[in-house]
Amino acid sequence: VCHMDHPGFFGGSGTCVRQALEPMPDADKPSNGTEVRPPLVFVGEGETCTSGVGPQHARLCAEGLVCHMDHPGFFGGSGTCVRQALEPMPDADKPSNGTEVRPPLVF
């Protein structure tokens, strides 16, 4: 676990220390004895997303959205899910009739 030098601030440095693991209560274990992992959380357009955090804390953007980070360049943090903008194709990639060739959508 990281003990931050300045808790409460986004980004920054800290010191990694070993954290003792606590056994899971039997009620949280399925009958086969394996541990249950929390499901991934997907969020929609305009909602808060995260990057660089553990899966148990992650808020991932739904398909077709990207996480626009509040503080780009920092490791970890939060942002907002936005639609990914399509960039115009260079002229060399256009057929001679002037129409654009777009790759097929993958679902």
Side-chain angles (χ1 to χ4, degrees), residues 89-102:
M89 295 178 63
D91 289 338
D93 293 340
K94 291 183 182 179
S96 59
N97 65 3
T99 61
E100 292 185 14
V101 177
R102 296 184 183 224

Side-chain angles (χ1 to χ4, degrees), residues 16-62:
C16 292
V17 296
R18 188 174 306 272
Q19 180 179 8
L21 297 177
E22 297 177 15
M24 289 181 61
D26 289 337
D28 291 343
K29 292 184 181 179
S31 59
N32 65 3
T34 60
E35 293 184 14
V36 177
R37 292 186 178 158
L40 294 176
V41 176
F42 290 91
V43 295
E45 188 171 10
E47 293 186 272
T48 300
C49 51
T50 59
S51 175
V53 298
Q56 70 274 24
H57 304 291
R59 295 177 55 85
L60 307 172
C61 292

Side-chain angles (χ1 to χ4, degrees), residues 73-99:
F74 289 148
F75 292 105
S78 62
T80 304
C81 289
V82 296
R83 293 213 176 273
Q84 186 170 8
L86 296 176
E87 296 181 17
M89 295 178 63
D91 289 338
D93 293 340
K94 291 183 182 179
S96 59
N97 65 3
T99 61

